[in-house]
Amino acid sequence: MSVATGTKKHVFAFTEGDGKNKKLLGGKGSNLCEMTQIGLNVPPGFVISTVACLEYLDSPSRELPAGIMDEVRAHMRKLETQTGKGFGDAKNPLLVSVRSGSALSMPGMMDTILNLGLNATTLEGVIAQTGDRRFGYDAYRRFIQLFGKVAQGVPDERFDQQLEAVKQQVGVTEDVALSADDLREISERFLQVVAETTGRSFPADPFAQLELAIKAVFNSWMGKRAVDYRKQFNITPDMANGTAVNIQTMVFGNRGEDSATGVAFTRNPGTGENKLFGEYLVNAQGEDVVAGIRTPKPIDWMTAEMPQLATELAELRDKLETHYHEVQDFEFTIERGRLFCLQTRNGKMNATAMVHTSVEMEREGLIDKQEALLRIQPESLEQMLFPRLDPEVRAEPVAQGLPASPGAASGIAVFDADRAEQMGKELGHKVILVREETKPEDIHGFFAAQGILTSRGGKTSHAAVVARGMGKPCVAGAEGISVDVERREAQVGASSFCEGDVITIDGSTGKVYLGEIPTVEPDFTQELDQILEWADEVARLQVWANADLPDDARRAVRYGAVGIGLARTERMFNAVDRLPIVIEMIMAETPEERQAALDRLLPLQRADFKELFQVMAPNPVTIRLLDPPIHEFLPDERQLERDLEALRSLSETMRGVTVLEGAIGLIQAPDKHRAEINRVRRVVDPILVEAAIAKKEAMLHKVRVLYETNPMLGHRGVRLGISFPEIYRMQIRAILEAAADCAKAGIRIQPRIKVPQVCTQEELLWVKDYVDEIHEEIKQRDGRPVDFQFGTMIEVVRACMEAGSLAEVAEFFSFGTNDLTQAAFSFSREDAENKFLPLYSQSGILQNNPFEVLDIKGVGKLMELAVEWGKEIRPDMHVGICGEHGGHPDSIGFCHRIGLDYVSCSAPRVPVARLAAAHAALLAG
């Protein structure tokens, strides 16, 4: 609140703003305040708060909050005093930049305007001051284009066409080769573009320019690319709401050969190496580096080109890391030999770099183990499990670019973001987005693409920064590739590829290949092992895996799982040697026929279980008895009807062949025709065809008999086991006999039998009778009991309500949150996700997809009650979760809070869950 006027304060000088209040001042603004206040050489300026942004966006007429321009004018007067320049002054003009900045970094998603304050009058003042006509017109044409695009909605292409026309006219390819007169002509053309496109002259009044620029930056918060970015990264209003506007005195990197501009990271954002990483351009402005208009120089080259400035830059790096205790991504400008730091923010790194720097910074004493763990987002660890090109495959790259974001990807080449979204997101194809250089408005194409390839730009270009943040492979600055977006093709030396052709990019090496190159899974790094070891030390929740087959279990162990929370026995039935026997079991008309098929399955299941136990020893293995409806193992009705139609047609054809064979004698056909008919009969045996028809007809009949209106709520799980006890008896016997065999071999194991779809204690008791009977038989046979546990899935709402009575029988609970979510919401997942869930999310009816993020208010409440009531009866009750939510970090945090003992997820999610479990423990205090 302003004491003088009694109005709310919206504007804060860098010298007074709270450097810790990112929600009010945005990340960029708060950092500018903090850097100024710790004595770094920051061009002076001020911040307009995010509160002003929200008030502006809430205004039906989109007017700035009352009094805000008065505050801005007052701060501009202070800038004039600090710099000795005048805003709009014809002889000594003050120019400023206008930049966005929300509480969370969203690189390239909102708008920036540079050189604001230029007009025909102040331009002459700049030229007189600097004695450099070329510099003046270069700054002017940049300002017109940026302001025209951001504040007036003029498409970039209109300006680019005029720029290219002048370059062709004077015979140059690079912007730096343009003369002052060339740039003057471009400026005049740009002014004409604005007038023709908008119907209005370009604004000359600097304060009118400033007000329009402030509104444009505020509007960019609700621009498509910013909204898409927030949706993709689940940035909620609680995390970042509105953008601040940063107004800062301009310093110029395009004042000559003693001036430069650049972007740098205090450590390598791709690998984590403890070395200054970045790029710079001599005699250029900041957008030249970020936009990829010119390919910049590696920061290492500055040591030879500008040795004193390289030393100052290294000192700045050390100051930033020492103060922030975090890797910093900072922008700098050198104006006439003087270094300025324009902004800094926590560096966006891929997971490999984040893990590497966490371990290294802990060893250096910059951070402690807790900070090392908490600075890594658990979800990001999936990036470290992305595939890389198979080193055994010999393939020649067709182009070499800059390795901008690691990982490898293959896909269909597409040349614009809309097409990438259509083919990748809507049609489900794997695509590689190919561009000359990307722009922020291409963000929706990034989301849909497997990787990004650009022919221009560097490692800090828009494409590189955004791809790294997403963990997607990116090759930038592949200048050997000539991209023609209009014709949707790219020329690579003597080769070319068009839209629809498959290409492969390797973001770790910068190489580009034609065709698809096989990939292999990556190995854990030593640093990742160290992080996960620290995570396991502090986590209370154990992390198990959902693994159905021995190979799945081996991978789970490699990822650090300490148990199997869900082994789905039905997955074992799908093997080529099993499925015919399973179908025979389903087709059986009597218990005896069914038992005969089950007797053939028994040794196969026993061998599966025994190997699972051996792989996981001495850790627990939880085996779920058969769950899905048995008709799922049969072809669907329509497929069988099509098969029968084809077979009957073939049968009729064979009858015709038989008739023809008999007629050959009558028509005295040559012997060669008789031989051909015999060959046909040998290829297709009519008896075999009739047998196939009979089998398919029987299967079709069985499918129709087993038909259910809603099979997911029908004859499945425990209901199936009670109706056909011989199926569950076979599986229970296989589990206990496998466990007994392991015990005889001296292998310490922890088998657990889990019953699905239970809703009453009576169902559980019914199955436990099978277990007790078979266990007693094996105990009598071997002379010793089998050590195992008996428990139940909790995936039916009634089971949650009956948790106390179920705990009287079950030794453990395992929440199946996929089915429990369907039951709680009365949603069919397949129908919901394909029809109305996207609308629910966009409309704010549901914040998240409840099948991906655990619904804490509804499903979570059911879980909490079940845990409480179950442990009242059985205090040592072991409780876990085995739905897909078991690998989701926020859901894991909830599981920790309600007292679960473990989470179980797919093997590749195990590292994510291990770190999330540590976060849950640390954040709970």
Side-chain angles (χ1 to χ4, degrees), residues 8 32 139 199-200 215 297 310 362 413 426 459 475 633 655 678 696 721 748 813 842:
K8 186 186 296 182
L32 285 166
R200 299 187 301 275
K215 289 180 177 180
K297 303 174 183 179
E362 190 275 339
E426 296 174 14
K459 293 180 185 176
V475 173
F633 296 100
R655 284 196 189 94
N678 287 333
K696 292 282 185 177
R748 185 166 157 262
F813 284 169
Q842 291 165 11

Side-chain angles (χ1 to χ4, degrees), residues 808-821:
E808 294 173 3
V809 182
E811 296 172 275
F812 66 87
F813 284 169
S814 177
F815 285 104
T817 48
N818 299 338
D819 275 359
L820 188 57
T821 298

Side-chain angles (χ1 to χ4, degrees), residues 606-665:
R606 183 172 55 227
D608 288 335
F609 297 146
K610 185 175 179 179
E611 192 173 357
L612 269 182
F613 294 151
Q614 290 170 336
V615 170
M616 294 304 300
N619 294 314
V621 176
T622 311
I623 297 170
R624 183 181 72 186
L625 300 177
L626 189 64
D627 181 31
I630 56 176
H631 70 76
E632 287 194 4
F633 296 100
L634 299 175
D636 66 61
E637 184 177 8
R638 289 183 182 178
Q639 180 62 53
L640 286 167
E641 288 172 343
R642 286 194 295 269
D643 291 350
L644 280 166
E645 184 181 349
L647 285 168
R648 285 167 182 152
S649 176
L650 180 59
S651 178
E652 287 298 318
T653 300
M654 293 312 299
R655 284 196 189 94
V657 170
T658 301
V659 172
L660 178 61
E661 183 181 26
I664 280 179

Side-chain angles (χ1 to χ4, degrees), residues 757-820:
Q757 293 295 313
V758 169
C759 65
T760 72
Q761 186 193 72
E762 288 73 19
E763 288 172 321
L764 207 52
L765 286 168
W766 195 290
V767 178
K768 191 167 190 307
D769 284 344
Y770 304 163
V771 173
D772 291 344
E773 178 188 330
I774 295 167
H775 181 220
E776 183 62 29
E777 183 184 326
I778 293 171
K779 186 167 67 172
Q780 292 298 326
R781 184 194 70 186
D782 294 347
R784 60 179 175 182
V786 178
D787 187 15
F788 71 98
Q789 284 191 316
F790 178 76
T792 182
M793 295 281 286
I794 302 288
E795 53 191 335
V796 177
V797 173
R798 192 175 191 280
C800 297
M801 299 297 99
E802 284 285 288
S805 68
L806 294 179
E808 294 173 3
V809 182
E811 296 172 275
F812 66 87
F813 284 169
S814 177
F815 285 104
T817 48
N818 299 338
D819 275 359
L820 188 57

Side-chain angles (χ1 to χ4, degrees), residues 735-902:
I735 294 167
L736 295 180
E737 287 183 353
D741 288 348
C742 288
K744 288 177 192 173
I747 302 170
R748 185 166 157 262
I749 62 170
Q750 298 181 58
R752 293 156 42 109
I753 299 172
K754 176 164 68 174
V755 187
Q757 293 295 313
V758 169
C759 65
T760 72
Q761 186 193 72
E762 288 73 19
E763 288 172 321
L764 207 52
L765 286 168
W766 195 290
V767 178
K768 191 167 190 307
D769 284 344
Y770 304 163
V771 173
D772 291 344
E773 178 188 330
I774 295 167
H775 181 220
E776 183 62 29
E777 183 184 326
I778 293 171
K779 186 167 67 172
Q780 292 298 326
R781 184 194 70 186
D782 294 347
R784 60 179 175 182
V786 178
D787 187 15
F788 71 98
Q789 284 191 316
F790 178 76
T792 182
M793 295 281 286
I794 302 288
E795 53 191 335
V796 177
V797 173
R798 192 175 191 280
C800 297
M801 299 297 99
E802 284 285 288
S805 68
L806 294 179
E808 294 173 3
V809 182
E811 296 172 275
F812 66 87
F813 284 169
S814 177
F815 285 104
T817 48
N818 299 338
D819 275 359
L820 188 57
T821 298
Q822 291 197 102
F825 277 90
S826 192
F827 286 175
S828 159
R829 179 171 187 175
E830 290 76 12
D831 292 329
E833 290 187 326
N834 289 329
K835 292 185 172 68
F836 59 84
L837 264 186
L839 174 63
Y840 269 41
S841 177
Q842 291 165 11
S843 305
I845 295 171
L846 289 175
Q847 187 172 327
N848 297 298
N849 180 339
F851 297 106
E852 295 175 354
V853 181
L854 188 66
D855 166 47
I856 292 172
K857 294 179 181 177
V859 176
K861 190 64 179 175
L862 291 171
M863 293 172 64
E864 195 169 4
L865 290 171
V867 172
E868 179 186 342
W869 293 341
K871 292 203 171 189
E872 281 178 2
I873 300 301
R874 191 184 292 268
D876 62 348
M877 170 71 73
H878 200 252
V879 187
I881 180 176
C882 64
E884 289 181 29
H885 304 100
H888 185 271
D890 290 345
S891 306
I892 290 169
F894 174 75
C895 292
H896 174 95
R897 292 194 296 276
I898 66 170
L900 266 59
D901 299 292
Y902 71 91

Side-chain angles (χ1 to χ4, degrees), residues 7-18:
T7 59
K8 186 186 296 182
K9 183 175 175 64
H10 287 107
V11 185
F12 302 82
F14 292 169
T15 53
E16 65 175 340
D18 180 357

Side-chain angles (χ1 to χ4, degrees), residues 1-76:
M1 185 76 74
S2 169
V3 176
T5 65
T7 59
K8 186 186 296 182
K9 183 175 175 64
H10 287 107
V11 185
F12 302 82
F14 292 169
T15 53
E16 65 175 340
D18 180 357
K20 304 300 181 188
N21 197 343
K22 287 180 167 35
K23 288 197 172 181
L24 179 68
L25 303 180
K28 187 178 297 180
S30 60
N31 281 336
L32 285 166
C33 293
E34 193 163 357
M35 287 192 299
T36 298
Q37 292 164 32
I38 65 173
L40 298 184
N41 193 24
V42 177
F46 54 91
V47 189
I48 304 174
S49 73
T50 59
V51 173
C53 173
L54 297 176
E55 290 179 13
Y56 167 77
L57 294 174
D58 284 343
S59 165
S61 58
R62 287 291 169 95
E63 292 298 325
L64 292 173
I68 198 168
M69 284 308 295
D70 292 334
E71 286 189 75
V72 168
R73 288 175 183 274
H75 280 272
M76 288 301 296

